[in-house]
Amino acid sequence: MISNNASKMIVLIGLMGSGKTTVGRALAERLNFSFKDSDETVEKIAKTSVREIFENQGEEIFRKLESQALVDLCAENSPIVLAVAGGAIISQSNRDLLQKNARCIVWLDAPTPTLISRTGRGKHRPLLDGDPVGSLNKMRLDREPLYQQVATHHLVTKSLSIVEVVDQIISLCSLENSSSR
Ligand code: S3P
């Protein structure tokens, strides 16, 4: 259960290609919140790209940096929309942190073919290098229960435009009067 209702952090979770970054930017613009992306924060902390971290230091180090990024982002005082990279919810402590700090956590979902069509150019997604369909299907199986557990809302975006997804999040999370303007 979300304990901090006064928080102005809106969190988006979901598999790679679910639209967290695109929707997050549009939502942040609508609310006049800052937009943050956990992968970008990892890259700032590590001073290198997600792909290079995976290739040179390995996934374990990436996951540690990801947890550090979430701690830093949750300490922000200003209102933010936070796109949390797909694998961050694997960690129980990351899930606890997000639940403790977010006003709402929206799980963006779409069928695998839709995810595939959106992830084609993702340089920061080394886990999709070999067999993207197989990898995404396996991630879905492993992670769906965790998304389910942590999310306050579940939104299937397949046939929705970005504006429609933003509208739905605003309504689901009761954000109508939340603009920081
Ligand atoms: C990952 C998702 C990616 C990135 C990395 C690993 C995952 O972020 O952190 O490639 O394990 O699902 P996005 O979900 O923003 O694509």
Side-chain angles (χ1 to χ4, degrees):
M1 211 49 199
I2 304 287
S3 59
N4 186 0
N5 282 324
S7 163
K8 283 208 162 188
M9 184 168 81
I10 315 302
V11 170
L12 305 181
I13 59 171
L15 289 170
M16 291 183 258
S18 57
K20 302 176 298 276
T21 302
T22 310
V23 168
R25 281 190 202 287
L27 178 64
E29 194 173 321
R30 178 87 77 85
L31 297 171
N32 201 29
F33 284 18
S34 302
F35 172 72
K36 303 281 176 173
D37 178 306
S38 66
D39 281 335
E40 278 178 18
T41 305
V42 165
E43 291 184 339
K44 271 189 205 147
I45 296 171
K47 298 187 177 63
T48 186
S49 69
V50 167
R51 178 168 287 275
E52 288 195 353
I53 302 166
F54 268 86
E55 285 174 0
N56 300 331
Q57 300 173 68
E59 180 167 353
E60 204 180 319
I61 297 291
F62 172 78
R63 297 296 172 201
K64 285 195 176 138
L65 291 163
E66 185 168 65
S67 295
Q68 181 57 54
L70 292 183
V71 169
D72 293 356
L73 288 162
C74 286
E76 296 252 348
N77 285 319
S78 56
I80 63 169
V81 174
L82 172 59
V84 172
I89 47 74
I90 295 167
S91 145
Q92 170 84 56
S93 62
N94 290 350
R95 296 199 299 278
D96 291 347
L97 183 75
L98 293 172
Q99 286 194 298
K100 185 160 168 266
N101 287 281
R103 169 171 175 154
C104 61
I105 303 178
V106 182
W107 168 20
L108 298 182
D109 199 4
T112 301
T114 308
L115 302 181
I116 289 290
S117 70
R118 295 179 186 156
T119 50
R121 281 159 292 139
K123 287 201 186 77
H124 69 289
R125 294 171 174 140
L127 296 178
L128 299 185
D129 279 354
D131 166 18
V133 175
S135 300
L136 278 168
N137 283 336
K138 163 102 176 50
M139 284 175 195
R140 185 183 292 282
L141 273 181
D142 294 344
R143 295 175 183 177
E144 261 186 5
L146 304 175
Y147 292 136
Q148 182 95 52
Q149 187 194 103
V150 81
T152 54
H153 306 286
H154 179 204
L155 195 51
V156 179
T157 63
K158 183 177 188 270
S159 53
L160 300 176
S161 68
I162 294 165
V163 172
E164 286 169 331
V165 177
V166 167
D167 285 344
Q168 292 243 12
I169 295 173
I170 287 175
S171 162
L172 287 170
C173 299
S174 306
L175 296 167
E176 285 84 1
N177 301 312
S178 292
S179 170
S180 71
R181 250 184 280 254

